[in-house]
Amino acid sequence: PPLYKQRYHFIKQLVDKHKPKKVADLGCADCRLLWMLKFCNCIEELVGLDISEEVMKETMYMLSPLPSDYLQPSERQLTVTLLQGSVAHKDPCMLGFDMVTCIELIEHLEAKELEKFPEVVFGFMSPAMIVISTPNSEFNYLLPTVSLFRHPDHKFEWNRTQFQNWAVSVAARYDYTVEFTGVGEPPHGKDVGFCTQIGVFVRKKLRNVEPERFEEYQRRVYKTIFKVIY
Ligand code: SAM
């Protein structure tokens, strides 16, 4: 299967294993991962965030209920929300999540945004689990069409050491553990790592500050562009 499907499949397996109720996908783009996750019965709240309203608007109709959802309503309540905003800014509506996914997002961030990202996602949102994927530059020479980066909008592409150093230091700062894996196996006998590298971060402690308490004094900065309740 294509690489993006392997990435989504990886997330789906994690969801099936850990059964999060509230999941947010940061840099959700065309909402394909959200669309897949809406079929996971454990999930009661799905939120997608992207800086580009246009990219979400093109395909967000996919997230609307189908006639069958009304004809055979399920027991669980599911709310799907799309938000326009940046991962460099804190918004109280991102508090209280069990899982946050950032699939092929960080390499699109400007240096200033990447600097703020850990404090927003790990420090502020502080979900139980965070999954971050990014290209592994060591794999690039196996991709014939790649010159500098795999995509013109990429601000950087890291090798395994660069990604792991960044991830380990962020995890230590915000009291998470991190484990590394990936999708896209290298050809037999080549030690270049996975095509897509993935870090799975798990928060060490239970939250000690209740999300509701923040909400009183944090201003909303994200814009809701879509909301549907199943
Ligand atoms: N996650 C999607 C997937 O797996 O198919 C694709 C992600 S796409 C390669 C990167 C996305 O990040 C784009 O849709 C872009 O608009 C979004 N993005 C870039 N900078 C952002 C920021 N500061 N905050 C939120 N989203 C951002």
Side-chain angles (χ1 to χ4, degrees):
L3 207 56
Y4 76 90
K5 285 200 176 156
Q6 295 184 46
R7 291 192 283 262
Y8 298 166
H9 182 68
F10 176 83
I11 300 293
K12 183 157 185 318
Q13 281 181 317
L14 269 185
V15 166
D16 288 342
K17 184 167 169 207
H18 297 279
K19 307 252 183 282
K21 285 189 177 150
K22 292 182 71 170
V23 179
D25 185 32
L26 311 184
C28 64
D30 57 13
C31 313
R32 270 184 296 192
L33 177 60
L34 294 170
W35 181 79
M36 204 177 108
L37 293 179
K38 110 188 157 93
F39 298 99
C40 297
N41 282 320
C42 59
I43 299 178
E44 292 167 7
E45 185 163 353
L46 262 180
V47 172
L49 171 76
D50 204 285
I51 200 155
S52 163
E53 193 169 330
E54 289 70 47
V55 70
M56 290 186 282
K57 277 199 161 155
E58 271 173 40
T59 46
M60 66 186 185
Y61 66 88
M62 290 198 310
L63 298 170
S64 298
L66 303 167
S68 59
D69 287 312
Y70 295 113
L71 295 169
Q72 296 162 317
S74 80
E75 291 280 296
R76 73 154 169 168
Q77 267 247 13
L78 170 66
T79 307
V80 184
T81 312
L82 294 179
L83 301 166
Q84 187 277 324
S86 170
V87 291
H89 300 136
K90 299 174 183 174
D91 185 305
C93 65
M94 297 306 276
L95 294 169
F97 280 79
D98 303 305
M99 183 187 281
V100 166
T101 56
C102 310
I103 305 303
E104 308 298 276
L105 166 70
I106 60 171
E107 68 276 8
H108 292 267
L109 301 179
E110 304 282 355
K112 278 220 167 91
E113 297 174 310
L114 183 67
E115 212 176 285
K116 292 191 177 133
F117 174 88
E119 173 51 28
V120 176
V121 178
F122 291 77
F124 177 72
M125 296 182 192
S126 196
M129 181 176 279
I130 301 169
V131 187
I132 298 180
S133 86
T134 194
N136 165 19
S137 64
E138 290 167 81
F139 202 97
N140 285 357
Y141 83 97
L142 295 165
L143 307 170
T145 57
V146 170
S147 49
L148 177 62
F149 294 142
R150 295 184 198 176
H151 190 280
D153 188 51
H154 287 179
K155 309 300 186 292
F156 60 87
E157 286 177 2
W158 282 338
N159 61 31
R160 282 173 288 179
T161 310
Q162 289 171 309
F163 177 54
Q164 291 181 14
N165 285 346
W166 177 83
V168 164
S169 92
V170 169
R173 197 168 347 137
Y174 293 99
D175 219 12
Y176 278 74
T177 60
V178 58
E179 282 181 13
F180 300 100
T181 177
V183 295
E185 295 273 351
H188 186 71
K190 298 246 194 300
D191 177 28
V192 294
F194 293 102
C195 189
T196 296
Q197 44 186 346
I198 300 176
V200 178
F201 302 78
V202 176
R203 199 183 55 213
K204 286 188 191 165
K205 297 195 195 108
L206 289 172
R207 262 197 97 87
N208 50 8
V209 184
E210 282 303 311
E212 292 77 31
R213 300 214 0 235
F214 280 109
E215 262 161 305
E216 293 160 21
Y217 43 86
Q218 272 274 296
R219 210 164 50 83
R220 288 279 324 255
V221 293
Y222 298 163
K223 175 175 150 202
T224 304
I225 63 159
F226 176 91
K227 182 165 185 150
V228 53
I229 300 172
Y230 279 76

